[in-house]
Amino acid sequence: APVKTAAKGTHLDPSNFLVVVIAAVILVYGAHRALRPPFLDMSASSAEVMAYEEAAEAGEMQLHTTFMFVIVASCSLVLIFYFMSAMSVLITVLFSFISSLALGALFYPYVDRYTDNRYSREIDVAYLGPIPILVFIMAPVCILAVVTWLLTKSWLLNNLLAFSLIIFFLTSVRLSSLKVAMSLLTLAFFYDIF
């Protein structure tokens, strides 16, 4: 069956507008969530806020980190070019692992709120530190979603995993200054050309 497209006489394809709207909504949600995480008590004396600010500082990108980010990404592109078959397996494994984490991070605050914080008690895990019980409950569901995507290549799961990765990146990486942001944008511009 032939693929349906916009009529030749039309200059505006509605699907392009829809993509831009979806991208804008995701960006606004990610920015809002980065500034004010869901269901977090943001009063100045809250212990949750202190822990959140400490974690935010740990994920802050410095000037040397921006250079390393682009250098590692460029080296990865060269490796992908020369060793495509081996690198595709590695990229799939890394994407699967990271998207499992991102999917869990996306839904964690909502599931925690829905369960009335019943599973917020933390268990001390060797080498990882204290981890809430809810993480162990959600992990199999997130892994199952990623395995289902691997087996079916469903566009819906693909979009959900991409959405969770975008939100994960926007909420976990902070730029420490305008100089860092400008250097990252400039380096990313040349990386894109590369």
Side-chain angles (χ1 to χ4, degrees):
V3 177
K4 289 188 175 187
T5 59
K8 299 291 181 205
T10 330
H11 296 292
L12 182 64
D13 186 3
S15 63
N16 290 338
F17 177 72
L18 184 62
V19 168
V20 170
V21 168
I22 291 171
V25 168
I26 290 172
L27 187 61
V28 167
Y29 174 73
H32 183 269
R33 184 163 170 167
L35 293 174
R36 184 177 170 76
F39 313 116
L40 183 67
D41 179 19
M42 295 299 280
S43 60
S45 62
S46 172
E48 290 178 326
V49 172
M50 303 279 279
Y52 174 73
E53 291 299 327
E54 186 177 309
E57 286 178 21
E60 203 168 84
M61 213 172 200
Q62 304 295 332
L63 189 59
H64 68 278
T65 317
T66 59
F67 283 98
M68 288 306 297
F69 178 76
V70 174
I71 289 169
V72 168
S74 299
C75 292
S76 298
L77 276 181
V78 170
L79 288 173
I80 289 169
F81 181 75
Y82 287 112
F83 307 105
M84 183 60 175
S85 60
M87 290 301 288
S88 68
V89 171
L90 179 64
I91 289 170
T92 303
V93 169
L94 285 174
F95 176 79
S96 299
F97 176 72
I98 294 169
S99 59
S100 296
L101 293 175
L103 194 60
L106 177 66
F107 289 115
Y108 181 86
Y110 301 105
V111 174
D112 193 32
R113 177 67 172 233
Y114 181 73
T115 59
D116 295 325
N117 302 325
R118 275 182 278 193
Y119 304 104
S120 294
R121 190 172 55 86
E122 295 180 337
I123 298 174
D124 197 24
V125 178
Y127 303 111
L128 297 176
I131 298 178
I133 294 172
L134 185 57
V135 170
F136 297 108
I137 296 170
M138 289 181 62
V141 176
C142 295
I143 292 169
L144 180 66
V146 171
V147 168
T148 304
W149 170 78
L150 282 169
L151 296 175
T152 64
K153 299 296 187 203
S154 163
W155 67 270
L156 193 61
L157 282 174
N158 188 46
N159 290 345
L160 178 66
L161 295 178
F163 174 72
S164 65
L165 282 172
I166 291 167
I167 299 302
F168 187 68
F169 183 76
L170 287 174
T171 56
S172 61
V173 174
R174 307 261 177 162
L175 300 174
S176 58
S177 67
L178 187 59
K179 182 168 84 171
V180 171
M182 287 305 297
S183 65
L184 181 63
L185 282 174
T186 305
L187 291 170
F189 172 75
F190 289 110
Y191 167 80
D192 195 38
I193 293 171
F194 174 65

